[in-house]
Amino acid sequence: MTIAATVDRWEPNPHVIAKAGRIIRAGGLVAFPTETVYGLGADALNPEAVKRIYAAKGRPSDNPLILHAEDAKQAAELVEFNQAASKLAAKFWPGPLTFVLPSKNIVPSETRGGLDTAAVRVPNNPIALALIHKAKTPIAAPSANLSGKPSPTDAEAVLRDMNGRIDMIIDGGSVKFGIESTVIDLTDPDSPLMLRPGGLPREEIENTLGVKLGFPDDVKRKRSPGTHYRHYAPSLPVKIWHKGDLLPENSAYMGINRPDNLGDTPSILFASTEDYAHGLFAGFRKFENDNHEVDCIFVEWPEDSSGLSEGLRDRISRAAGII
Ligand code: AMP
Ligand code: MG
């Protein structure tokens, strides 16, 4: 049985947080909201608890987890910080930015998928921060979905995949961003690398560091195994729509621009790139659950080059199976 408890995001009920903290300390699994997507949390320093995350998600054990800390001080107990990391942490934490840095021995090999680096961030959500504080340990948390499925952006989506597989879910309403954190490799502080675009735009990081983020070569990419697996995919095929294309019959559609022949096609139209990022995964889940006559989901390819569009293109490409 999975216990479900609803709390106010800004003033989370301390009894609920205390209970969730006890479950984490006892080696259990608790799903909770962050500002990016819902996470599936366990005590990051307890190898048995971390193994339960992989089992509940069906996640390959070489795909390392992000450690969520309550502040930069706690993060610095887990990994070797350098100047670039300190500068970015001071500016963007709590927030949707994850650093890969050399791991300290305290982090079990299970949490880092056997690598000698670990990924850390401080999430910007009062429920997540209260939970980490109460659990008195960093919390390892991938997205709270079955491996390969779209990430959950509300509690209902978490329960659809995880009911009965986890001990508790804290329902704190819909998340803010809807796509995961930006992951950068800072192991060589002079040449930082973009491992996964996400909630914090590339240009903000580059402006702060005064250098461009590189692309990982094949060796580095192998060292971020999560970037190989097919991801974020609903049970229906996902195809790309470009402005001006006609929509085939029996499709669903998501995007900012309206296809000329949209008619009464099941669709979600977004007002902005941010809105689109927020609604992408929820839209995938809605079409696969509601529309049995739909046999393909078309999604608009975002052409703009700033803000969340790089992260959005990454998620769309993976859902469509083109990277
Ligand atoms: P998820 O938890 O599913 O949002 O994915 C976490 C992402 O961070 C995956 O793409 C991982 O491959 C990446 N990641 C986590 N830890 C490391 C690490 N030590 N080195 C490189 N990439 C990592
Ligand atoms: Mg994930």
Side-chain angles (χ1 to χ4, degrees):
M1 267 296 289
T2 299
I3 306 164
T6 302
V7 299
D8 183 278
R9 179 175 317 164
W10 303 112
E11 278 180 71
N13 180 329
H15 300 294
V16 171
I17 301 297
K19 185 178 181 77
R22 283 196 297 275
I23 292 174
I24 297 280
R25 284 209 73 76
L29 299 182
V30 176
F32 61 97
T34 75
E35 79 280 36
T36 58
V37 300
Y38 270 72
L40 175 48
D43 180 350
L45 306 184
N46 174 345
E48 295 311 315
V50 165
K51 281 189 203 155
R52 288 191 192 108
I53 294 182
Y54 288 97
K57 282 184 60 92
R59 180 173 171 111
S61 62
D62 68 348
N63 189 358
L65 306 176
I66 295 173
L67 291 99
H68 294 73
E70 75 174 299
D71 52 28
K73 185 166 166 276
Q74 188 182 42
E77 291 164 10
L78 308 169
V79 290
E80 303 288 349
F81 262 59
N82 52 39
Q83 257 190 359
S86 301
K87 198 168 179 185
L88 291 169
K91 184 141 187 206
F92 297 115
W93 279 358
L97 177 63
T98 298
F99 306 146
V100 169
L101 287 165
S103 181
K104 294 193 173 171
N105 289 336
I106 186 177
V107 180
S109 168
E110 284 78 1
T111 308
R112 38 186 159 113
L115 299 172
D116 53 10
T117 52
V120 291
R121 86 172 183 105
V122 177
N124 189 10
N125 175 297
I127 299 169
L129 292 171
L131 179 60
I132 301 164
H133 183 73
K134 206 68 199 175
K136 300 193 181 66
T137 181
I139 295 183
S143 50
N145 51 280
L146 292 172
S147 193
K149 299 304 261 172
S151 302
T153 55
D154 61 27
E156 193 192 326
V158 175
L159 283 172
R160 210 173 262 280
D161 280 12
M162 289 296 156
N163 202 0
R165 291 172 169 260
I166 60 176
D167 299 296
M168 182 173 182
I169 171 166
I170 307 176
D171 181 348
S174 176
V175 299
K176 179 165 180 235
F177 286 97
I179 60 173
E180 297 82 349
S181 61
T182 303
V183 181
I184 57 172
D185 183 336
L186 291 176
T187 47
D188 177 356
D190 295 326
S191 29
L193 305 173
M194 172 68 89
L195 295 181
R196 175 180 76 182
L200 186 73
R202 164 193 293 273
E203 58 268 24
E204 301 230 21
I205 302 166
E206 293 179 340
N207 290 344
T208 303
L209 291 180
V211 287
K212 296 279 179 205
L213 291 173
F215 289 95
D217 59 19
D218 284 353
V219 179
K220 279 282 188 187
R221 212 171 293 125
K222 275 206 193 81
R223 289 167 53 84
S224 187
T227 53
H228 307 312
Y229 296 109
R230 177 139 194 250
H231 250 97
Y232 317 121
S235 51
L236 295 166
V238 174
K239 294 199 177 145
I240 309 289
W241 182 87
H242 294 276
K243 204 172 167 185
D245 290 352
L246 283 181
L247 272 185
E249 277 183 28
N250 300 334
S251 331
Y253 173 76
M254 274 193 279
I256 296 174
N257 289 293
R258 185 186 183 88
D260 289 342
N261 66 334
L262 187 65
D264 55 7
T265 301
S267 61
I268 308 176
L269 292 171
F270 300 107
S272 63
T273 305
E274 285 63 38
D275 207 23
Y276 190 0
H278 186 259
L280 180 79
F281 291 141
F284 283 157
R285 286 182 176 267
K286 178 174 164 50
F287 291 134
E288 76 178 359
N289 297 332
D290 295 0
N291 290 283
H292 302 294
E293 74 282 12
V294 164
D295 51 36
C296 184
I297 304 172
F298 277 82
V299 292
E300 181 174 5
W301 185 251
E303 300 283 357
D304 54 318
S305 62
S306 62
L308 296 185
S309 57
E310 187 182 6
L312 187 55
R313 277 194 292 277
D314 172 82
R315 304 309 183 272
I316 288 173
S317 306
R318 290 176 195 282
I322 56 178
I323 51 171

